[in-house]
Amino acid sequence: QVQLVESGGRLVQAGDSLTLSCAASGRTLSLSTMGWFRQAPGKERDFVAAITPSGGSTYYADSVKGRFTISRDNAKNTVYLQMNNLESDDTAVYYCAVLWAGNYRSAGSYTYWGQGTQVTVSS
């Protein structure tokens, strides 16, 4: 069993930066691809970013490419999402999740999820 706890979400202004953290417990995640997703009210949960177990490869949604950076610290069992130049469209609940196998862009492929952290970008 894996427990994921996201933190760092808050109300910010457009153009601001914010870093989200996802701390895992219950099992080491150094062998797992990790992903960040987000869900705005009334919308589906969308892929944001993913990172391979070693951190050697990262993947991003087109909407965040160049603004967001995913990273991980396996010694701390923690994954981060650095978000720069935030826009009002980035407002959503952000979730981290563990991928054992499958398509990293598909929420249905992920096995464990955190409870989410709210990011609100005010314009």
Side-chain angles (χ1 to χ4, degrees):
Q1 190 71 13
V2 175
Q3 295 80 42
L4 302 173
V5 179
E6 301 96 335
S7 62
R10 61 183 177 90
L11 172 64
V12 297
Q13 299 291 319
D16 284 353
S17 297
L18 194 62
T19 299
L20 306 182
S21 299
C22 172
S25 62
R27 180 172 177 172
T28 181
L29 297 180
S30 60
L31 298 179
S32 306
T33 291
M34 299 294 296
W36 282 98
F37 285 74
R38 65 187 181 185
Q39 189 167 19
K43 296 188 177 181
E44 294 185 350
R45 191 167 296 189
D46 292 332
F47 170 75
V48 174
I51 186 167
T52 53
S54 67
S57 294
T58 56
Y59 309 93
Y60 298 94
D62 288 343
S63 59
V64 306
K65 199 173 295 183
R67 299 189 299 123
F68 290 12
T69 302
I70 188 172
S71 62
R72 66 192 298 163
D73 184 339
N74 286 338
K76 296 182 178 180
N77 240 14
T78 302
V79 179
Y80 306 95
L81 185 67
Q82 170 70 41
M83 305 184 293
N84 296 328
N85 194 21
L86 283 161
E87 305 168 352
S88 57
D89 285 347
D90 296 319
T91 295
V93 177
Y94 284 71
Y95 300 89
C96 67
V98 177
L99 177 69
W100 295 137
N103 181 1
Y104 64 83
R105 291 184 179 271
S106 172
S109 295
Y110 288 74
T111 305
Y112 297 105
W113 292 84
Q115 84 291 344
T117 186
Q118 176 71 48
V119 174
T120 303
V121 183
S122 173
S123 57

